[in-house]
Structure formats: C-alpha cells, structure tokens
Amino acid sequence: MASVATWSTTPASNTSVGGISTDGNVTLVNQIDNMFRGQMAEVATSRDDGTIINVYPRGYLSGLTLSNNAGDATNDIDIAVGECVTLDSPYWRMALASSITKRLDATWAVGTGNGGLDTGSIANTTYHVWLIQRSDTLVVDALFSTSATAPTMPTNYDRKRRIGSIIRLGATILAFTQTGDTFDLTTSTLNYSLTSGATNILQAFTVPNGISVQAMVYSNITVGVGSCTLHVGSGARATANMIIGQCGSSSAAADGSSITSGLWTTTSGQLRVNSSVTGTVNVVQIWTSGWVDTRGR
C-alpha cells in the first residue's frame, strides 16, 4: 500500500484500496474505491507544516505562557513556546517553536526583542496579546493591541488568536504570574473602600477590559461598634449575591475571605457590589489579586 505522501490530491488518481483491484466490475469494490479515493485526496491536501485543518479542535491552546521580562519588566513581555489554533474557521494550527520577547513601547516589527504594539502610542490601559501568523510563509510572531477582537495586523499577517491580556498602570506593566488560565498579580490592588453602605453598585476592578474574566478578589472589614455584610456578584447580575465578608462585634474586629473564581466581570472590568453597614465601620475594602481568563477555549 502506498504511503500517505504519495496519495494524489485528485481523487480519481488514487486507484488502490489495500491492494484490491478497482476495475469497476464489482459494485462493492467500486463503492469502497470511490470513498477511499476521496479520503486520500483530503489527506494529501493536508500538509505536514502545521496547517492541517480539522485535526485540532476549536479553541485549542497549549503553552504560550506570558511573563514579565526580567530585563525590562516595565515594557516587555516574554511568551513561552506553545501552540494554538486560530480564532476563526478554518482552525489553523500556529506553533511558536522558540520563546519570544516583545516590546510594548515600540511599534511592531518581526522577531524577538522588537516592538509589539499594533498601532498608536503606549498608554495606561489593557493590552491584549495576540499570536499571529503569515499564511504564505508560516512565520509566527506576537502582537499587542487594545482591541480584544480586531487588532491592526501587520502586512501579510492574516491569522491570529488572543492568548492573554496584560494591564499597564502607572507607566508600567503590572507584574503577574501566569499559571494556565490564572493570572496572579504580584501586588494586590485596592479597588473598593467605604465606611458606609452601598447598594448594588457596579464597581471597576483591576482586571483586563474588553473581555469578561473571572475576578479574584478578597475583602478586609474592620468595625467598631456595629456590623457589616459585604456581597459581590458577577457584573451582569442586578444584585450582588455572594457574601465575600461579614463582621460584627462590640469591639474592633476584622474579617477577610477570598473568592478565586466564579465572579464574571463586565467587559469594563466591573462586578456588582453591595455592602450593608450598621453602627461604626472603620474599613470596608475589596482587593483584586488577579483573574482567570479562558482565552477563547
């Protein structure tokens, strides 16, 4: 039997089914022959350069872990080796064979150590990290964009997939550690602080904007003579439904309880917050420690 490499992309040219003669005189053999020729044409059309269609499932992603660059943590991101399929059908496989470093403070140029910004000037905002590829040469690179859906692609690059998102705040990329879909901020950020109650407000948190993520938050409550119950809910909810902190005492006390996932933000990074306060409350705080981003899977 011929090897896969010798099958023709033209069905009629594939004329052997496991050594069975296909002279067309036997109906069953003829039917098998027609099916076999078509299947072998599909195999021959697929290529061994990583662009085989319908082999990798929609949403497939492995590796491609992001990290702050040690040499310039303020502006640069390292991307580890890995692979994923493209955002749009057909789901082409894109493989990054060697780790790459891209600069947020420079316009995109191909290759490691070069700029990664798709357009405009660097700013304090969310940047989405895209793996990109040219279908003509199969060169793979990476790109930063403020768009979570439609980055400005470099000339000849026509395949893409968002592999993560980062936050620039205070003129620096926030330090983080990525483990799978989880992005842990090195330093937690205070996003909510009140000494009185608030009824089901939408509160912005330090998570990427432009996408919905599962915010990782925790509370800190200190009361004098009184009590406080703090609820948080996903941004799409009309009311906050999950108790994140509760404290009540005749003397000063503190309570903190964390939530690692399950609270989905709006695309503006907001969660629903409700705090019920009686008496004297010294501190009602919610801190953000990171987020979970499924990245299209």
Side-chain angles (χ1 to χ4, degrees), residues 4-273:
V4 168
T6 63
W7 296 118
S8 172
T9 58
T10 304
S13 299
N14 298 314
T15 57
S16 176
V17 184
I20 301 175
S21 173
T22 57
D23 57 11
N25 294 326
V26 180
T27 300
L28 177 59
V29 172
N30 193 41
Q31 290 174 341
I32 294 174
D33 175 48
N34 289 336
M35 176 185 69
F36 183 76
R37 292 185 187 196
Q39 289 179 335
M40 290 303 100
E42 290 183 10
V43 171
T45 302
S46 301
R47 301 168 9 182
D48 292 330
D49 56 12
T51 60
I52 301 177
I53 11 181
N54 298 325
V55 172
Y56 290 84
R58 177 182 180 181
Y60 171 75
L61 188 156
S62 177
L64 302 172
T65 301
L66 309 181
S67 59
N68 301 99
N69 176 260
D72 186 1
T74 299
N75 299 303
D76 295 0
I77 291 291
D78 296 335
I79 305 170
V81 298
E83 59 186 13
C84 64
V85 295
T86 53
L87 176 65
D88 304 312
S89 177
Y91 303 112
W92 300 102
R93 172 178 172 268
M94 300 185 293
L96 187 66
S98 301
S99 61
I100 190 172
T101 300
K102 300 302 286 187
R103 296 172 52 197
L104 186 59
D105 58 343
T107 302
W108 185 90
V110 65
T112 188
N114 291 327
L117 190 58
D118 65 342
T119 186
S121 300
I122 191 171
N124 290 326
T125 188
T126 296
Y127 284 97
H128 304 284
V129 185
W130 294 83
L131 200 70
I132 58 175
Q133 185 184 53
R134 293 179 56 155
S135 60
D136 56 349
T137 63
L138 303 180
V139 170
V140 174
D141 210 284
L143 184 73
F144 301 122
S145 178
T146 57
S147 175
T149 56
T152 301
M153 299 285 281
T155 303
N156 295 321
Y157 283 80
D158 53 352
R159 296 173 179 169
K160 64 184 182 294
R161 167 72 178 275
R162 188 184 67 85
I163 58 173
S165 300
I166 59 175
I167 301 172
R168 185 177 189 265
L169 186 64
T172 187
I173 298 172
L174 294 186
F176 67 93
T177 300
Q178 180 188 354
T179 306
D181 292 338
T182 301
F183 293 74
D184 285 296
L185 290 172
T186 302
T187 302
S188 297
T189 304
L190 176 62
N191 290 129
Y192 176 91
S193 182
L194 286 177
T195 56
S196 60
T199 304
N200 291 313
I201 64 171
L202 276 174
Q203 174 68 42
F205 288 83
T206 306
V207 297
N209 284 200
I211 56 174
S212 180
V213 298
Q214 295 183 47
M216 297 160 50
V217 297
Y218 63 91
S219 66
N220 177 43
I221 303 173
T222 304
V223 301
V225 179
S227 63
C228 177
T229 301
L230 183 60
H231 289 81
V232 179
S234 295
R237 294 184 61 91
T239 58
N241 65 313
M242 189 177 296
I243 295 177
I244 187 177
Q246 194 168 32
C247 190
S249 175
S250 58
S251 60
D255 173 73
S257 58
S258 62
I259 298 175
T260 58
S261 64
L263 298 173
W264 288 94
T265 65
T266 67
T267 55
S268 297
Q270 299 170 314
L271 294 176
R272 189 71 65 177
V273 176

